[in-house]
Amino acid sequence: MTSPQPATAALQALVLATIEEMIPSDATAPNVQVDRSKAGFSSDFQTPAALQLAKVLRRSPRDIAADLAAKLTPRLGALAEAPDVSGPGFIGFRLSDDALQGYLEALSAAEHLGLEQAGGEHIVIDYSSPNVAKRMHVGHIRSTIIGDALARMGRALGYRVIADNHIGDWGTQFGQIIYAWDHWLDPAAYDSDPVGELQRIYIKFQTEAKEDASLMDAARAELAKLQAGDERNLALWKQFIAASRHVFDAVYDRLGVVFDVTNGESHYNDMLIPLVDKMHDEGRLIAIDGGALAVAFGDQDIERPKRMVVRKSDGAATYATTDLATVFYREQTWAPMRCIYVTDSRQKEHFQHVFSVVRDMDVTTDLQHVMFGIMSSPEGSLSTRAGNAIPLDELLDEATRRARASLEERLPADFDGDKDALAEMIGLGAVKYSDLSNNPASNIVFSWDKMLSFEGNTAPYLQYTSARTHSLLAKAAAAGLEPDGTTLKLADPLERDLLLHLMDFGPTVRAAFDQGKPNTLASWLYDVASKYHSWYAACPVLRSEDRELQISRLNLTRLAQRMLVRGLDLLGIGAPQRM
Ligand code: ARG
């Protein structure tokens, strides 16, 4: 069965068609909004369309509302009852029980739970992207978690997502690391923690170079050798990449994060000179101090025209040059409809500039920067600086340890499942969700207690709710009761409220993906859980005498369960059957 058009979209279309008949042919119809009615209204949805029309029609909004409602009534057919008018002119819609039953049936049978499917267009998502020879810091954790959620949502919506890990595997730092390797490496430390040791000697280089400027020249010489293809330096560089990727991969495995390609910065090396030459030939470049070249973009007639350096005075390309080449490479390779970059907000300007430059060069790919703020804790221990001191795996270990401790207190004595696996699922889920439940743009204050709570807007609460639905359905099955996916009996306003909310799964995932805001899905899931608990408290399932009502309630439970499990999965979070 194909999924039905979401109710809001269906109502919106009907209101718009009716309005178009009411306004003069040369007037433009207002942007019609249809929203869920607030609690306390007998309607399910409301629109302020009549208020918006008052100016165009020069009549009182209430008058227009009455007129619009009357004209809408025949059009609504079996979808809704006759609309009501309230307040200054709001029109309220109440779906018919038949229509609600149709939604329940369609959603229960729909292959994608009502997620409208795109046509397999390519979307590139550039995320995680840590730097070789450095520990992943908190910024990379956020990028990894948010990017992975976007990749999962994109795939669920029928796109061909290319998850691209744009690792930092090229640049001046490699000359410095090679110099440091030759002078200060502790081989035993490197064996046990290669990335930690590379980071240590790199920092050591920075400190020493402040005292002795000649080190910079020596490092530049190593870099020049590397760039010229010197065998030993190339081998070292490759070894740094391999060692770092090994460590990154362990983290990705644990988090369940998968990339389609890992085209690091070095992947674009051969494309940089031709690109700069081409831009030069097209007259886009301006020579600035000391022989550097910059590309001019945007409005050049203003007082401080915009420029972005693409070739430094020593001839080297920049991070920006690589990003320009990356846009063109992706366009040629996948012709994506969109490319999403997930980094912290400090790169806001960088991407604004890159996007403007390539738009001047006729790139039509939709380029979107999803940026996020800083993560900190009340003790300050997760600040970006100190974040380097808390490696990600230690953070994950701690989350798992705490989840395990809380499980020990909660689980019944006869629990025979795998407690370690469960603790890992809850611990990692809590870490991910505490990030994803926030608007990416805001800074996060990280709190263990809040994160691992079984109440409130947390992953354990959602996981617990889904586990509750499993145990209810198992008990029902043992009593010979199974959801049938069609029966709907609405005996309590809370059942209606729950179903109306579940009907929003598709539009919610769509909005979360398009706006680059996984928190939109997170808060929708939180509302599913809260509504489910209120409903369940008021509407007994197994204790009810009425068999039709029982089946109807099992249908709601089953749908809520599938959406909780799928929704959590879209956030990269597992949902246990028991906890
Ligand atoms: N490696 C960069 C960093 O650690 C992030 C790269 C983001 N992606 C990009 N195409 N520039 O800050």
Side-chain angles (χ1 to χ4, degrees), residues 202-219:
Y202 173 67
I203 294 171
K204 168 120 176 123
F205 179 91
Q206 306 291 319
T207 340
E208 298 286 326
K210 276 200 197 104
E211 305 291 313
D212 178 357
S214 76
L215 291 194
M216 280 300 186
D217 293 330

Side-chain angles (χ1 to χ4, degrees), residues 126 129-131 140 166 168 265 319 323 341 343 347 350-351:
D126 174 323
S129 310
N131 297 322
H140 299 120
H166 189 81
E265 292 177 30
Y319 179 58
D323 260 324
Y341 298 79
T343 78
Q347 299 199 36
H350 166 73
F351 284 111

